[in-house]
Amino acid sequence: GLFASWRSTRSTELRREDVLAWANDSIAALQGLRLIAARGRMRIEPEEEERRLTQLMFDTSILVERGRLFFRNASAGPYGRDKEPAYRGYRPEILDQLVVAHQIACQWQRAGAEERLRMGLVAEDVVRRFVSLVQAEVGRERTASRDTRRGGQGAMQRARMAELNAERVAAEGG
């Protein structure tokens, strides 16, 4: 009994440490994107911005895949039945935040001023939502919050931008 208890405790500690390491890497990527997208608040040279965005494209994609080790897709009946097991159903909301960040990083260079303004606001929302979700998760053996168990609605960056409150966009200068 003592060995089983120790083993269970150790397994919990290892998972918590792994999720925390992944979460820290994810927060660094999300916050990096937020800083690039923060309208007028960050001044970096175009070459540096392009280099960082390219790295963020890779990092966010890799972090999504690493996150699949900790957060399984939500069952969605027949959706994705023909896919590999890790990709069946709907991706969890916590991973959707990284997917939206990836989409922004990929589209930033080609975006116009209005679209960049909206992307910046979404980048801010994404990092805040991610931190809130991971905060509910870190330190527990299994998902402690029903929010992190629930599947996301898909990572549609353009839809999220369209949902922004007009007053909020105007207040930011759009």
Side-chain angles (χ1 to χ4, degrees):
L2 185 59
F3 176 74
S5 176
W6 173 83
R7 187 173 167 185
S8 175
T9 301
R10 182 68 180 141
S11 177
T12 300
E13 289 174 13
L14 289 174
R15 183 184 192 281
R16 181 181 53 225
E17 290 170 11
D18 290 344
V19 172
L20 184 58
W22 169 81
N24 285 333
D25 291 344
S26 298
I27 290 168
L30 292 170
Q31 187 64 17
L33 179 65
R34 180 181 179 194
L35 292 172
I36 288 171
R39 187 172 164 260
R41 295 184 208 138
M42 288 292 293
R43 299 266 185 216
I44 59 175
E45 295 298 318
E47 298 81 21
E48 178 69 9
E49 178 181 278
E50 184 175 348
R51 184 189 69 73
R52 287 181 179 266
L53 285 167
T54 299
Q55 188 62 52
L56 284 167
M57 288 180 221
F58 283 89
D59 292 347
T60 52
S61 180
I62 291 165
L63 288 163
V64 169
E65 296 306 307
R66 286 178 52 202
R68 290 180 188 279
L69 297 174
F70 308 116
F71 305 100
R72 294 178 181 226
N73 283 6
S75 177
Y79 181 76
R81 189 178 291 162
D82 58 329
K83 297 178 182 181
E84 290 290 330
Y87 300 88
R88 293 179 188 152
Y90 293 108
R91 185 178 40 247
E93 183 183 5
I94 196 166
L95 299 183
D96 279 350
Q97 308 313 305
L98 290 162
V99 173
V100 170
H102 176 76
Q103 292 169 340
I104 292 171
C106 290
Q107 297 170 13
W108 183 260
Q109 298 289 52
R110 295 183 307 275
E114 170 73 15
E115 197 170 23
R116 281 187 176 193
L117 171 66
R118 290 175 176 272
M119 286 179 181
L121 294 170
V122 170
E124 181 179 334
D125 293 347
V126 162
V127 71
R128 289 179 178 187
R129 184 65 182 149
F130 181 87
V131 170
S132 295
L133 290 169
V134 83
Q135 184 182 56
E137 179 65 20
V138 173
R140 294 177 174 86
E141 181 177 349
R142 57 188 165 88
T143 302
S145 164
R146 87 179 121 106
D147 290 337
T148 58
R149 269 190 303 242
R150 184 177 49 220
Q153 297 175 355
M156 305 313 244
Q157 171 241 330
R158 291 196 184 280
R160 297 271 294 266
M161 288 170 46
E163 293 171 357
L164 289 171
N165 179 304
E167 291 81 27
R168 182 177 177 201
V169 173
E172 287 289 327

